[in-house]
Amino acid sequence: MNRNLLLGAALTSIFLLAALISFVWTPYDYAGLDIANKLRGPSLAHPMGTDHFGRDILSMIMVGARTSIAVALVAVGIGMGAGVPLGLWAAARRGSLVDEVIMRGNDLVFAFPAIVIAILITAVFGAGAINAIIAIGIFNIPVFARITRGAALSLWQREFILAARVAGKSAARISAEHILPNVANLLIVQGTIQFSLGILAEAGLSYVGLGAQPPLPSWGRMLADAQTMVSIAPHMALMPGFAIILTVLGLNLMGDGLRDLLDPRLRVART
């Protein structure tokens, strides 16, 4: 257990705990307006201050953590759930038409950034957290497909895979029983990285009005609301900004620590 993993897990746990607590308790009603106390700086009553409507920023950040984590988690789940099987299938049929179709489809998705996909989805179905999840999830599919295929291709030439083929196992069974367990470590590490990127993508989509809609708080929406009041109430931008930075930093440190912990070559070197 290295320091990066411990520090990353600690930072991530703080925001995950805040998100879970927000389901049952927040210091104030995150949607409650208190115009008399608007733009107040941090104090004992409001540790992170209030916004231009008098809403408690700490309560909004707690609920915003719930929104960001949920969107990123489901989007990574979509990407992993669809991308990993596609990558395994392409590796098992390497050089075939199936492999070519899957990889060129990945290239097509990569040609459109998540923000463009979100705009297209929003134009059809309207803005909202669900559409943000779909847009980010679609963008995650080719990421996991490429990583899975690249890792699986090298394994298909290994002796234990050749032994499994001689034993009469099908390509699908070999992929499920032998290939997938051996690339799981890589997928876990990549999952943490995509999780952090998902939080950034959700914040970016909310910033331009394509993510979670009011009155549901979102860190990106909070930054958008604060952009015209930075000189008057800088805490409105600093608090959600620090929340995004620390959450992404924690996830990246945790991914880096997991890579060091799970990489068999580094394990041998430490031994």
Side-chain angles (χ1 to χ4, degrees):
M1 297 287 285
N2 57 41
R3 287 180 297 177
N4 285 347
L5 180 57
L6 292 174
L7 180 58
L11 287 174
T12 304
S13 298
I14 290 172
F15 289 97
L16 181 59
L17 184 62
L20 293 175
I21 292 175
S22 71
F23 281 103
V24 295
W25 176 83
T26 54
Y28 297 88
D29 179 8
Y30 67 85
L33 306 183
D34 186 6
I35 304 299
N37 290 312
K38 68 178 182 178
L39 301 178
R40 295 292 177 87
S43 63
L44 291 177
H46 300 278
M48 293 187 179
T50 61
D51 69 355
H52 56 304
F53 290 126
R55 295 174 296 186
D56 181 62
I57 292 179
L58 176 58
S59 301
M60 296 177 67
I61 284 180
M62 291 175 65
V63 179
R66 183 174 74 196
T67 303
S68 296
I69 291 174
V71 170
L73 185 62
V74 176
V76 169
I78 292 173
M80 191 175 290
V84 172
L86 286 175
L88 292 174
W89 190 15
R93 302 290 300 276
R94 59 194 179 282
S96 67
L97 179 62
V98 171
D99 183 20
E100 189 68 17
V101 169
I102 291 175
M103 299 316 296
R104 297 296 76 75
N106 289 339
D107 293 339
L108 180 62
V109 175
F110 273 133
F112 298 93
I115 185 69
V116 176
I117 297 176
I119 292 173
L120 293 175
I121 295 174
T122 302
V124 178
F125 301 106
I130 300 298
N131 295 333
I133 290 173
I134 295 173
I136 301 170
I138 290 174
F139 190 75
N140 279 332
I141 291 174
V143 174
F144 285 103
R146 281 181 174 273
I147 290 174
T148 304
R149 178 183 179 273
L153 283 176
S154 62
L155 292 174
W156 273 99
Q157 308 302 322
R158 300 288 296 274
E159 291 78 5
F160 67 96
I161 299 297
L162 296 177
R165 296 176 66 180
V166 171
K169 291 186 178 181
S170 64
R173 187 176 175 184
I174 291 174
S175 296
E177 294 182 358
H178 301 285
I179 302 294
L180 183 57
N182 281 280
V183 301
N185 294 345
L186 180 62
L187 294 176
I188 291 172
V189 174
Q190 187 64 36
T192 60
I193 295 173
Q194 293 304 123
F195 197 164
S196 66
L197 294 177
I199 289 177
L200 286 175
E202 190 279 330
L205 292 175
S206 295
Y207 183 84
V208 297
L210 301 179
Q213 298 299 298
L216 186 65
S218 169
W219 293 343
R221 172 70 66 174
M222 292 173 69
L223 286 175
D225 292 339
Q227 65 181 346
T228 59
M229 301 192 181
V230 173
S231 60
I232 303 173
H235 64 277
M236 284 184 59
L238 291 175
M239 298 307 174
F242 280 133
I244 295 172
I245 291 171
L246 292 176
T247 304
V248 172
L249 177 63
L251 287 167
N252 285 336
L253 287 174
M254 191 164 64
D256 188 57
L258 284 172
R259 183 200 62 194
D260 294 344
L261 182 68
L262 300 175
D263 192 330
R265 293 171 296 180
L266 293 176
R267 191 182 308 133
V268 170
R270 289 194 297 267
T271 303

